[in-house]
């Protein structure tokens, strides 16, 4: 390792997010400039830096010095200290006052100030404001550099360092050194393993109370997310904890009781909750109960019937009696739940509700939202009213995992309409309701037979089962052509009419079923999508859906063959290999996590339009550019795990979306996942044609499988407190 000292003369590149810098430095030992690269928490053109690293040869830009660490070189000569203190870093300190500081405190003035800023009080012309400013500049730059070196030295990525310092500010080192496991609770993206690796490097004992209690809390959250419930039992929690820290029952009990005493977990009648989930369910219950009754903010003396008739003329339709009734019932209640299967007119009613409400309440605003980006875009297309995700409405910040719209900065809208409400989990509704102190009305729209939320909870079913809120269940099918079987098929599944559903796939041109074995699925799917592509369809017009990632007909295997079929390698397409995956220009890409700042969300589908290989100058990292309907988003190594191929995607990820053509294998291989609500959700994604392939017996078995997995929730219990009919419910994961 070599060492060089110098001042930064020009910065060619600097990333505020990753802290990576490419800079031209005037090297004192060589009396010439040199290009250096590495990570710096902050920089300026005044300080002298000592860089530790080695030379590397870049194929295009030649010799560069790559530093692994750096520090600020001490300033020892009086002339250098005076020049430093009179630089722009220290606003208001000129040469005269800088000279006075050195003459008063000597050549070790800077170190004396860092140790005790009051030494400046004896300097002529020094004010408290200037004294504090000098101290802050000296200590902040030194601290930032120390923090960066500490975390990089312990294997923490620069991107994660940025999250840690953004969360803890100047207390980062103190907090992490005292209890690294605190990061699990405070910082999104840090799990037990990352915190544990750092803690063990810092010398924490394997049986340290911080470690064992963090493992228990982490395991509790894991159980809830894996099983979809809001609580678990003690035995399950112990076994989950034992997997990661091999804790004996006696020790587990000691730390379990301490966590209860400190309020980090909650025990209620042998049910064990993560604190946030417990507070979430209770807050949801207490808040929504305030919306039980009738509304009084709309004067029904106004002729609503006339408004509806006027809308009929505008829309060129005649509302059915149940649709008119739904509109009226919404106007009469503070909260209404609208449910129904595909084709039952939910969107028609929502459009009417919005227009009637706008006429009755012209000065009140409406928030139209959905849980996913694709669902919100679809909502906008169907209603003509601007819509967004719930995360965007609440101004969610990815790095801090916090919401800018909250109880202290609430929503200004008076009506909140949430579509695809079955996808809303306990955490998300909790945060939405905390920001809803000014909201007068809610309209929840969903299909209670679809898959439940990915996160903990079964909100839609819980609210419906409580029977405390006005609900309208639509049954009549309006969107149904004589030769269309997709909607009919979906409703037969919904109503458990298995024989009729099997008859549907034989009797309608928009329903196709190809019998095949598991090892035949890949080639058959490839053949089908090629025919669809030959029909001049775009990659986003058709979608292959499957329940599982593994197996000969799993999502990963299907993505591989579909990529080679639809977007084979060629000399004019750049590609980037990441582990087993190859990302190639022209690939169909699926977004896996919300990126609010880039306006791209979990479940969004785009096309990879450019692969840019790093050149260590213009591009310091390999970069992928994905086009999401005209929104171009860049991905670098730290983001690669947030995307995957979308030729085939999970049915869970497709929820809230619709496609012209859906190809869906149904096999016994999927039996662990194959259930009624999964088949129903996948089938109802298709608009023009649904193509099933696999085994008819597996389809029958899946439709009949309603009760093999359950979610444990207590929202009905809290909603029903003080009611004689209150019961604790465990809902089937249907």
């Amino acid at each position: 390792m070599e060492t060089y000292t110098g001042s930064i003369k020009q910065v060619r590149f600097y990333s505020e997010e990753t802290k990576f810098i490419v800079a031209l430095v005037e090297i004192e030992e060589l009396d010439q400039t040199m290009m250096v690269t590495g990570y710096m928490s902050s920089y300026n053109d005044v300080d002298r830096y000592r860089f530790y690293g080695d030379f590397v040869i870049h194929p295009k830009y030649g010799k560069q010095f790559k530093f692994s660490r750096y520090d600020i070189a001490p300033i020892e000569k009086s002339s250098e200290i005076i020049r430093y203190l009179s630089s722009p870093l220290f606003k208001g300190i000129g040469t005269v006052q800088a000279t006075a500081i050195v003459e008063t405190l000597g050549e070790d003035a800077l170190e004396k100030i860092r140790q005790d800023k009051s030494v400046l009080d004896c300097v002529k012309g020094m004010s408290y404001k200037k004294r504090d400013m000098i101290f802050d500049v000296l200590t902040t730059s030194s601290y930032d550099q120390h923090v960066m070196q500490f975390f990089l030295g312990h294997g923490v990525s620069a991107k994660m360092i940025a999250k840690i310092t953004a969360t803890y500010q100047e207390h980062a080192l103190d907090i992490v050194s005292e209890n690294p496991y605190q990061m699990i609770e405070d910082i999104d993206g840090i799990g037990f393993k990352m915190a544990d690796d750092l803690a063990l490097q810092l010398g924490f004992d394997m049986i340290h109370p911080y470690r064992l209690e963090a493992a228990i809390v982490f395991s509790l959250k894991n159980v809830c997310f894996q099983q979809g419930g809001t609580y678990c039992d003690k035995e399950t929690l112990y076994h989950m904890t034992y997997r990661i820290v091999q804790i004996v029952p006696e020790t587990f009990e000691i730390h379990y009781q301490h966590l209860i005493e400190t309020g980090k977990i909650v025990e209620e009648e042998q049910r064990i909750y993560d604190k946030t989930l417990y507070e979430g369910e209770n807050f949801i219950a207490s808040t929504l109960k305030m919306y039980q009754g009738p509304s009084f903010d709309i004067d029904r003396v106004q002729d609503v019937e006339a408004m509806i008739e006027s809308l009929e003329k505008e829309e060129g339709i005649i509302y059915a009696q149940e649709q008119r009734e739904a509109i009226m019932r919404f106007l009469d209640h503070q909260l209404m739940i609208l449910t129904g299967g595909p084709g039952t007119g939910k969107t028609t009613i929502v459009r009417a509700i919005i227009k009637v409400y706008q006429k009755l309440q012209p000065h009140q605003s409406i928030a139209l939202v959905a849980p996913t980006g694709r669902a919100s875009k679809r909502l906008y297309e169907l209603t003509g009213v601007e819509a967004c995700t719930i995360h965007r409405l609440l101004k969610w910040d990815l790095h801090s995992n916090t919401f800018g719209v909250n109880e202290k900065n609430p929503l200004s809208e008076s009506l909140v309409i949430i579509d695809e409400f079955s996808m809303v989990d306990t955490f998300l509704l909790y945060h939405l309701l905390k920001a809803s102190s000014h909201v007068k009305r809610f309209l929840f729209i969903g299909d209670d037979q679809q898959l439940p939320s990915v996160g903990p909870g079964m909100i839609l079913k819980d609210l419906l089962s409580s029977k405390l809120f006005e609900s309208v269940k639509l049954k009549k099918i309006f969107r149904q052509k004589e030769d269309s079987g997709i909607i009919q098929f979906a409703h037969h599944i919904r109503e458990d009419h298995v024989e009729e559903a099997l008859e549907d796939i034989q009797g309608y041109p928009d329903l196709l079923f190809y019998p095949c074995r598991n090892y035949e699925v890949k080639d058959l799917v490839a053949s089908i999508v090629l025919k669809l592509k030959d029909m001049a369809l775009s990659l986003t017009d058709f979608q292959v859906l499957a329940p599982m990632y593994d197996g000969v007909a799993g999502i990963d295997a299907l993505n591989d063959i579909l990529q080679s079929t639809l977007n084979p390698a060629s000399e004019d397409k750049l590609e980037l290999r990441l582990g087993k995956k190859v990302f190639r220009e022209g690939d169909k890409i699926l977004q896996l996590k919300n990126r609010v700042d880039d306006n791209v969300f979990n479940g969004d589908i785009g096309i990879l339009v450019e692969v840019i290989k790093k050149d260590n100058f213009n591009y310091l990292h390999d970069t992928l550019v994905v086009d999401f309907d005209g929104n171009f988003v860049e991905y670098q190594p730290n983001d690669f795990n947030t995307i995957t191929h979308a030729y085939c995607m999970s049915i869970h990820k497709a929820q809230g979306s619709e496609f012209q053509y859906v190809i869906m294998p149904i096999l016994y291989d999927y039996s662990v996942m194959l259930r009624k609500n999964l088949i129903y959700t996948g089938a109802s994604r298709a608009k023009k044609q649904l193509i099933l392939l696999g085994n008819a017996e597996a389809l029958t078995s899946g439709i009949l499988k309603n009760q093999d997995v359950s979610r444990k929730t207590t929202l009905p219990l809290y909603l029903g407190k003080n009611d004689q009919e209150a019961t604790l419910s465990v809902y089937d994961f249907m």
Side-chain angles (χ1 to χ4, degrees):
M1 180 178 288
E2 298 185 54
T3 305
Y4 291 97
T5 305
S7 302
I8 295 174
K9 293 304 175 185
Q10 184 184 36
V11 175
R12 297 285 180 87
F13 174 85
Y14 185 70
S15 169
E16 288 291 346
E17 183 178 7
T18 65
K19 308 299 183 184
F20 190 84
I21 191 171
V22 178
L24 196 63
V25 176
E26 188 171 306
I27 302 297
E28 297 173 0
E29 292 86 347
L30 303 176
D31 195 25
Q32 67 182 48
T33 58
M34 182 172 69
M35 194 69 70
V36 301
T37 65
Y39 292 93
M40 295 187 76
S41 57
S42 62
Y43 67 89
N44 60 65
D45 57 1
V46 177
D47 278 323
R48 295 167 61 249
Y49 297 99
R50 186 180 289 118
F51 299 99
Y52 303 84
D54 295 291
F55 283 102
V56 295
I57 304 297
H58 186 273
K60 184 175 181 181
Y61 301 108
K63 193 174 183 181
Q64 298 177 339
F65 188 74
K66 183 178 180 181
F67 64 90
S68 56
R69 66 185 182 91
Y70 73 97
D71 54 40
I72 298 175
I75 302 173
E76 298 171 343
K77 295 180 181 179
S78 296
S79 58
E80 292 177 346
I81 299 173
I82 292 170
R83 190 182 309 117
Y84 178 62
L85 287 173
S86 58
S87 73
L89 280 178
F90 302 89
K91 295 179 181 179
I93 306 297
T95 304
V96 173
Q97 195 155 44
T99 303
I101 293 172
V102 175
E103 289 177 348
T104 304
L105 301 179
E107 291 190 343
D108 57 349
L110 300 182
E111 187 57 33
K112 287 179 178 177
I113 297 168
R114 289 191 187 99
Q115 296 295 326
D116 180 9
K117 63 183 177 181
S118 66
V119 297
L120 286 167
D121 293 342
C122 58
V123 176
K124 184 179 180 180
M126 183 62 59
S127 66
Y128 288 125
K129 185 176 181 180
K130 287 182 179 180
R131 180 196 70 178
D132 292 344
M133 179 272 297
I134 294 171
F135 176 78
D136 289 342
V137 172
L138 289 175
T139 55
T140 299
S141 59
S142 176
Y143 179 78
D144 287 346
Q145 171 234 339
H146 183 49
V147 167
M148 177 66 80
Q149 291 185 10
F150 171 83
F151 285 113
L152 286 174
H154 286 91
V156 181
S157 71
K159 185 173 183 179
M160 196 55 70
I161 294 171
K163 277 191 172 186
I164 294 169
T165 54
T167 301
Y168 296 138
Q169 301 294 322
E170 69 273 14
H171 304 296
L173 280 183
D174 292 337
I175 292 174
V176 174
S177 299
E178 166 65 24
N179 182 6
Y181 300 99
Q182 185 64 39
M183 295 189 296
I184 304 172
E185 296 293 318
D186 299 337
I187 303 172
D188 186 48
I190 294 186
F192 182 82
K193 186 179 187 307
M194 182 182 292
D196 195 41
D197 287 345
L198 179 57
L200 295 178
Q201 287 185 54
L202 292 175
F204 277 71
D205 196 281
M206 298 283 282
I207 58 172
H208 194 288
Y210 288 162
R211 181 174 192 260
L212 300 180
E213 292 182 7
I216 294 172
V217 174
F218 182 76
S219 298
L220 178 55
K221 290 181 178 179
N222 260 3
V223 171
C224 291
F225 271 92
Q226 288 177 13
Q227 299 182 356
T230 54
Y231 68 91
C232 76
D233 60 83
K234 197 171 183 179
E235 183 178 359
T236 301
L237 177 58
Y238 170 71
H239 288 299
M240 182 65 78
T241 306
Y242 183 81
R243 291 181 186 178
I244 58 176
V245 292
Q246 290 75 54
I247 190 171
V248 298
E250 296 78 10
T251 306
F252 171 84
E253 185 63 31
I254 292 170
H255 294 292
Y256 170 79
Q257 292 298 332
H258 184 253
L259 287 168
I260 291 175
E261 292 168 6
T262 55
K264 292 184 178 179
I265 63 175
V266 178
E267 183 182 58
E268 185 176 84
E269 297 180 7
Q270 298 184 335
R271 300 186 301 272
I272 306 166
Y273 300 81
D274 170 72
K275 178 185 176 183
T276 306
L277 279 173
Y278 179 78
E279 291 176 348
E281 277 199 326
N282 277 276
F283 186 83
I284 290 169
S286 61
T287 302
L288 290 186
K289 284 174 78 171
M290 294 189 293
Y291 290 87
Q292 274 182 263
S295 63
F296 300 102
D297 61 324
I298 290 181
D299 184 1
R300 284 294 303 277
V301 174
Q302 301 181 60
D303 194 350
V304 177
E305 284 289 351
M307 290 183 183
I308 294 176
E309 290 174 7
S310 175
L311 282 176
E312 288 178 327
K313 293 178 182 178
E314 288 179 25
E315 300 280 338
I317 60 174
I318 301 296
Y319 295 115
Q321 185 55 41
E322 70 173 35
Q323 292 177 316
R324 287 172 172 264
E325 181 65 23
I327 298 168
M328 294 297 187
R329 288 166 72 178
F330 163 77
L331 294 174
D332 287 338
H333 293 85
Q334 298 178 81
L335 187 156
M336 190 179 88
I337 304 171
L338 181 65
T339 65
T344 55
K346 295 192 296 293
T347 304
T348 300
I349 294 172
V350 173
R351 279 201 303 263
I353 283 175
I354 291 171
K355 291 187 176 182
V356 169
Y357 186 82
Q358 287 173 333
K359 289 181 179 180
L360 292 172
Q361 299 281 39
H363 303 297
Q364 302 293 336
S365 55
I366 301 172
L368 192 60
V369 296
T372 67
R374 288 185 67 84
S376 66
K377 290 174 186 175
R378 179 168 157 264
L379 189 57
Y380 166 68
E381 292 166 359
L382 293 173
T383 64
V385 178
E386 195 64 39
C388 66
T389 64
I390 300 173
H391 282 84
R392 177 167 285 281
L393 178 71
L394 297 180
K395 300 188 185 306
W396 178 66
D397 180 75
L398 170 66
H399 299 294
S400 63
N401 194 29
T402 57
F403 294 94
V405 176
N406 47 47
E407 60 269 40
K408 295 180 180 178
N409 178 35
L411 294 167
S412 59
E413 288 82 359
S414 60
L415 167 61
V416 173
I417 299 175
I418 307 178
D419 195 19
E420 296 291 351
F421 192 68
S422 63
M423 300 173 67
V424 176
D425 63 33
T426 301
F427 284 117
L428 194 53
L429 185 59
Y430 173 42
H431 286 290
L432 176 64
L433 293 179
K434 284 206 296 183
S436 297
S437 57
H438 295 163
V439 175
K440 297 178 181 178
R441 290 171 177 270
F442 285 102
L443 175 60
F444 299 152
I445 310 154
D447 187 338
D448 59 320
Q449 296 299 311
Q450 284 192 27
L451 291 166
S453 58
V454 175
M458 187 78 88
I459 302 293
L460 178 57
K461 283 201 169 186
D462 282 348
L463 296 184
L464 289 171
S465 70
S466 73
K467 299 181 180 179
L468 295 175
F469 307 99
E470 188 69 14
S471 62
V472 174
K473 185 175 183 178
L474 303 173
K475 295 183 178 180
K476 184 177 179 181
I477 300 175
F478 293 95
R479 180 162 51 93
Q480 176 75 35
K481 298 178 182 178
E482 289 184 6
D483 61 346
S484 174
I486 295 174
I487 291 176
Q488 193 68 44
F489 178 66
H491 278 270
H492 281 147
I493 296 174
R494 180 185 174 92
E495 303 299 328
D496 295 324
H497 298 159
V498 181
E499 291 184 7
E500 290 87 340
L502 294 176
E503 290 173 4
D504 290 335
I505 62 177
Q506 304 295 331
Y508 291 96
D510 64 340
L511 279 173
L512 300 177
F513 185 87
Y514 294 100
C516 65
R517 298 178 183 179
N518 59 355
Y519 60 85
E520 298 173 317
V521 166
K522 288 198 301 182
D523 291 337
L524 184 52
V525 167
S527 173
I528 292 169
V529 298
L530 270 181
K531 290 179 181 178
L532 292 173
K533 186 180 180 182
D534 290 342
M535 294 165 56
L537 296 174
S538 71
L539 289 177
T540 54
D541 284 332
F542 56 87
Q543 185 61 53
V544 181
L545 302 178
M548 298 175 64
Y549 282 87
D550 298 331
V552 295
I555 294 169
D556 290 337
L558 290 172
N559 265 321
D560 287 344
I561 192 168
L562 290 173
Q563 182 190 37
S564 61
T565 301
L566 296 170
N567 189 34
S570 68
E571 292 183 358
D572 61 340
K573 292 181 180 179
L574 292 177
E575 58 184 47
L576 181 66
R577 177 172 291 278
L578 300 172
K580 295 181 180 179
K581 293 181 181 179
V582 174
F583 286 97
R584 183 176 300 133
E585 290 176 344
D587 274 344
K588 188 176 180 180
I589 298 296
L590 175 67
Q591 178 70 25
L592 300 173
K593 291 186 178 181
N594 292 332
R595 285 177 60 168
V596 177
D597 292 343
D598 293 313
N599 197 31
V600 60
F601 299 89
N602 184 4
D604 283 356
I605 295 174
I607 301 297
L608 177 56
V609 292
E610 189 174 8
V611 173
I612 305 171
K613 297 295 183 70
K614 68 177 180 179
D615 56 16
N616 287 335
F617 190 74
N618 292 314
Y619 285 90
L620 301 176
H621 305 283
D622 292 326
T623 302
L624 305 177
V625 182
V626 182
D627 176 10
F628 293 95
D629 296 327
N631 177 28
F632 293 87
V633 181
E634 288 191 0
Y635 296 83
Q636 294 187 347
N638 287 330
D639 308 311
F640 289 158
N641 65 341
T642 67
I643 56 174
T644 189
H645 294 110
Y647 298 104
C648 179
M649 60 192 290
S650 72
I651 296 172
H652 284 83
K653 289 291 184 186
Q655 195 171 359
S657 304
E658 283 188 341
F659 309 94
Q660 295 295 320
Y661 297 83
V662 167
I663 305 99
M664 189 165 68
I666 303 289
L667 301 165
Y668 277 121
D669 295 40
Y670 308 142
S671 59
V672 174
M673 298 283 293
L674 207 58
R675 291 183 292 278
K676 169 185 167 179
N677 67 343
L678 185 131
I679 297 171
Y680 172 73
T681 301
S684 57
R685 300 309 92 203
K687 293 176 67 178
K688 193 168 184 177
Q689 190 168 58
L690 173 64
I691 303 168
L692 302 172
L693 54 154
N695 188 286
E697 288 75 19
L699 175 62
T700 302
S701 174
I703 295 173
L704 292 173
K705 193 182 294 184
N706 295 337
Q707 301 177 352
D708 57 329
V709 179
S710 297
R711 287 196 170 194
K712 299 174 180 178
T713 68
T714 39
L715 182 57
L717 178 68
Y718 301 136
L719 284 168
K721 277 184 177 178
N722 302 321
D723 293 341
Q724 291 182 350
E725 297 180 359
T727 57
L728 172 63
S729 299
V730 177
Y731 291 106
D732 296 324
F733 190 162
M734 296 171 55

